[in-house]
Coordinates of all heavy atoms in Angstrom, one line a residue:
G26 N 33.4 13.7 -6.7 CA 32.1 13.5 -7.4 C 31.8 12.1 -7.8 O 30.7 11.8 -8.2
G27 N 32.8 11.2 -7.8 CA 32.6 9.8 -8.2 C 32.0 9.0 -7.2 O 31.6 9.4 -6.1
S28 N 31.9 7.7 -7.5 CA 31.2 6.7 -6.6 C 32.1 5.5 -6.4 O 33.0 5.2 -7.2 CB 29.9 6.3 -7.2 OG 29.0 7.3 -7.4
L29 N 31.9 4.8 -5.3 CA 32.7 3.7 -5.0 C 31.8 2.8 -4.0 O 31.1 3.3 -3.2 CB 34.0 4.0 -4.3 CG 35.2 3.1 -4.4 CD1 35.6 2.9 -5.9 CD2 36.4 3.7 -3.6
R30 N 32.0 1.5 -4.2 CA 31.2 0.5 -3.3 C 32.2 -0.3 -2.6 O 33.0 -1.1 -3.1 CB 30.3 -0.3 -4.2 CG 29.4 -1.2 -3.4 CD 28.5 -2.1 -4.3 NE 27.5 -2.9 -3.6 CZ 26.3 -2.5 -3.4 NH1 25.9 -1.3 -3.7 NH2 25.4 -3.3 -2.7
L31 N 32.2 -0.2 -1.2 CA 33.0 -1.0 -0.4 C 32.2 -2.2 0.1 O 31.0 -2.2 0.3 CB 33.5 -0.2 0.8 CG 34.2 1.1 0.6 CD1 34.6 1.8 1.9 CD2 35.3 0.9 -0.4
S32 N 33.0 -3.3 0.3 CA 32.4 -4.5 0.8 C 33.1 -5.0 2.0 O 34.3 -4.8 2.2 CB 32.5 -5.6 -0.3 OG 31.8 -5.3 -1.4
C33 N 32.4 -5.7 2.9 CA 33.0 -6.3 4.1 C 32.4 -7.7 4.2 O 31.2 -7.8 4.5 CB 32.7 -5.5 5.3 SG 33.2 -6.3 6.9
A34 N 33.2 -8.7 4.0 CA 32.8 -10.1 4.1 C 32.9 -10.5 5.6 O 33.9 -10.3 6.2 CB 33.6 -11.0 3.3
A35 N 31.8 -11.0 6.1 CA 31.7 -11.3 7.6 C 31.5 -12.8 7.7 O 30.8 -13.5 7.0 CB 30.6 -10.6 8.2
S36 N 32.2 -13.4 8.7 CA 32.1 -14.8 9.0 C 30.8 -15.2 9.7 O 30.3 -14.3 10.4 CB 33.3 -15.3 9.8 OG 34.5 -15.1 9.1
G37 N 30.3 -16.4 9.5 CA 29.2 -16.9 10.2 C 27.9 -16.0 10.0 O 27.6 -15.6 8.9
S38 N 27.2 -15.9 11.1 CA 25.9 -15.1 11.1 C 26.0 -13.8 11.7 O 25.0 -13.3 12.3 CB 24.9 -16.0 11.8 OG 24.7 -17.2 11.2
I39 N 27.1 -13.1 11.6 CA 27.4 -11.8 12.3 C 26.3 -10.8 11.9 O 25.8 -10.1 12.7 CB 28.8 -11.3 11.9 CG1 29.8 -12.3 12.5 CG2 29.0 -9.9 12.5 CD1 29.7 -12.5 14.0
L40 N 26.0 -10.7 10.6 CA 25.1 -9.7 10.1 C 23.7 -9.9 10.6 O 22.9 -8.9 10.7 CB 25.1 -9.7 8.6 CG 26.4 -9.4 7.9 CD1 26.2 -9.3 6.4 CD2 27.0 -8.2 8.4
N41 N 23.3 -11.1 11.0 CA 22.0 -11.4 11.6 C 22.0 -11.1 13.1 O 20.9 -11.1 13.7 CB 21.6 -12.8 11.4 CG 21.5 -13.2 9.9 OD1 20.5 -12.9 9.3 ND2 22.5 -13.8 9.3
L42 N 23.1 -10.9 13.8 CA 23.2 -10.9 15.2 C 23.5 -9.5 15.7 O 23.1 -9.1 16.8 CB 24.2 -11.9 15.7 CG 23.9 -13.4 15.5 CD1 25.0 -14.2 15.9 CD2 22.6 -13.8 16.2
Y43 N 24.3 -8.7 15.0 CA 24.9 -7.5 15.6 C 24.7 -6.3 14.7 O 24.5 -6.4 13.5 CB 26.4 -7.7 15.8 CG 26.7 -8.9 16.7 CD1 27.3 -10.0 16.2 CD2 26.5 -8.8 18.1 CE1 27.6 -11.1 17.0 CE2 26.8 -9.8 18.9 CZ 27.4 -11.0 18.4 OH 27.7 -12.0 19.2
T44 N 24.7 -5.2 15.3 CA 24.8 -3.9 14.6 C 26.2 -3.8 13.9 O 27.2 -4.1 14.6 CB 24.6 -2.7 15.5 OG1 23.3 -2.7 16.0 CG2 25.0 -1.4 14.9
M45 N 26.2 -3.5 12.7 CA 27.5 -3.3 11.9 C 27.8 -1.9 11.6 O 26.8 -1.1 11.4 CB 27.4 -4.1 10.6 CG 27.0 -5.6 10.7 SD 28.3 -6.5 11.6 CE 29.7 -6.3 10.6
N46 N 29.0 -1.6 11.6 CA 29.5 -0.2 11.5 C 30.6 -0.1 10.4 O 31.4 -1.0 10.2 CB 30.0 0.4 12.8 CG 29.1 0.1 13.9 OD1 28.0 0.7 14.0 ND2 29.5 -0.7 14.9
W47 N 30.6 1.1 9.7 CA 31.7 1.5 8.9 C 32.4 2.7 9.6 O 31.7 3.6 9.9 CB 31.3 1.9 7.5 CG 31.0 0.7 6.6 CD1 29.8 0.2 6.2 CD2 32.0 0.0 5.9 NE1 29.9 -0.8 5.3 CE2 31.3 -1.0 5.1 CE3 33.4 0.0 5.8 CZ2 31.9 -1.9 4.3 CZ3 34.0 -1.0 5.0 CH2 33.3 -1.9 4.3
Y48 N 33.7 2.6 9.7 CA 34.5 3.7 10.3 C 35.5 4.2 9.2 O 35.9 3.4 8.3 CB 35.3 3.2 11.5 CG 34.5 3.1 12.8 CD1 33.7 2.0 13.0 CD2 34.7 4.1 13.7 CE1 33.0 1.9 14.2 CE2 34.0 4.0 14.9 CZ 33.2 2.9 15.2 OH 32.5 2.8 16.4
L49 N 35.8 5.4 9.3 CA 36.8 6.0 8.4 C 37.9 6.5 9.3 O 37.7 7.2 10.3 CB 36.2 7.2 7.6 CG 37.2 8.1 6.9 CD1 38.0 7.4 5.9 CD2 36.5 9.4 6.4

């Protein structure tokens, strides 16, 4: 029932260029 915030630091301009995914 709790909450958590995960972060992923990406090099360069990756977030502007590609689809990003979270996997479990």
Side-chain angles (χ1 to χ4, degrees):
S28 299
L29 208 59
R30 187 181 184 90
L31 306 183
S32 300
C33 174
S36 300
S38 301
I39 297 301
L40 301 186
N41 295 281
L42 298 174
Y43 302 108
T44 292
M45 304 297 298
N46 311 292
W47 281 103
Y48 281 80
L49 167 64

